[in-house]
Amino acid sequence: MTSPTTSNPELAHQELIIGLVSVSDRASGGVYEDKGIPALHEWLAQAITTPFRVETRLIPDERAEIERTLVDLVDNARCHLVLTTGGTGPARRDLTPEATLAVATKEMPGFGEQMRQISLRFVPTAILSRQTAVIRETLDHAALIMNLPGQPKSIKETLEGLKDDAGNTVVGGIFAAVPYCIDLIGGPYIETNPSVSKTFRPKSALRPPAA
């Protein structure tokens, strides 16, 4: 399979835009300080070596508002990757997965499956988590949208994976597959810091090092 990046080198020079969405009634209402967006931004700054900018949104647990936000970030802000945090449990107000699926053109269930595998190493209640991931496509643009856990520690674990004391990977983090997914949907070529998240691409999709 040939990725869009290898067949159209101009895509590699797009500006990488990442949307960060924190879904919380109390944080959006000013009851307490949001920790989800800062945790996401901090991890991305450590993991991604490609220049990028972020679009942030702090919104309540309202399905219509979540849907509008995701559509706006992809269709208007032209984000290539959108990460949400919060609203993925079984409670009545946890509606982030429903909103995410409603705006999707393709579901990517493997991301959610892997997130639960990682979290189950720590708590049995991880089975209650409903994180998912989707692709949203328009005529000339596409983005990967991923629902992440609400806690900063869990965000880091699911993105980065787990390592033993010797630094060997025990469970792979989900972000290792993100850059190639962005390649395949026509986004910019993302490079990462391998000590944080080692990207996997088939040899045919690797870009030659810059001269």
Side-chain angles (χ1 to χ4, degrees):
M1 179 185 296
T2 300
S3 77
T5 297
T6 56
S7 61
N8 185 358
E10 290 183 2
L11 293 174
H13 301 295
Q14 294 184 73
E15 178 186 30
L16 174 60
I17 307 172
I18 302 176
L20 305 179
V21 182
S22 185
V23 182
S24 170
D25 285 331
R26 289 181 291 175
S28 64
V31 176
Y32 62 70
E33 183 181 2
D34 173 62
K35 295 182 179 179
I37 289 175
L40 284 169
H41 200 175
E42 180 181 4
W43 189 88
L44 291 169
Q46 295 173 352
I48 299 177
T49 58
T50 302
F52 68 94
R53 68 177 173 89
V54 299
E55 292 278 344
T56 62
R57 304 286 190 273
L58 177 56
I59 59 175
D61 289 277
E62 299 286 352
R63 176 170 170 172
E65 181 65 20
I66 301 169
E67 289 182 24
R68 282 194 296 269
T69 298
L70 296 178
V71 169
D72 179 58
L73 286 171
V74 177
D75 297 11
N76 300 319
R78 309 284 287 183
C79 291
H80 304 97
L81 172 65
V82 178
L83 304 176
T84 76
T85 176
T88 59
R92 289 180 181 269
R93 295 287 289 173
D94 289 335
L95 299 170
T96 303
E98 285 76 11
T100 301
L101 290 168
V103 305
T105 53
K106 292 185 176 77
E107 188 174 0
M108 304 292 289
F111 286 104
E113 293 165 3
Q114 184 66 3
M115 281 188 264
R116 284 181 284 278
Q117 285 298 313
I118 293 169
S119 296
L120 279 167
R121 296 206 167 223
F122 298 96
V123 290
T125 50
I127 202 168
L128 303 178
S129 299
R130 300 186 303 117
Q131 289 100 340
T132 190
V134 304
I135 303 295
R136 176 174 173 82
E137 300 161 301
T138 64
L139 289 176
D140 63 346
H141 185 67
L144 172 64
I145 304 172
M146 300 197 301
N147 301 152
L148 300 178
Q151 297 299 318
K153 180 176 181 291
S154 297
I155 289 172
K156 176 181 170 65
E157 289 165 352
T158 55
L159 289 171
E160 192 171 321
L162 306 177
K163 297 178 181 178
D164 60 21
D165 293 339
N168 300 310
T169 299
V170 177
V171 182
I174 63 168
F175 203 83
V178 169
Y180 185 49
C181 182
I182 301 300
D183 290 351
L184 293 173
I185 61 175
Y189 193 90
I190 301 173
E191 296 181 288
T192 60
N193 178 352
S195 67
V196 178
S197 179
K198 186 176 182 180
T199 295
F200 176 82
R201 284 183 172 95
K203 290 183 179 179
S204 61
L206 292 173
R207 188 176 73 180

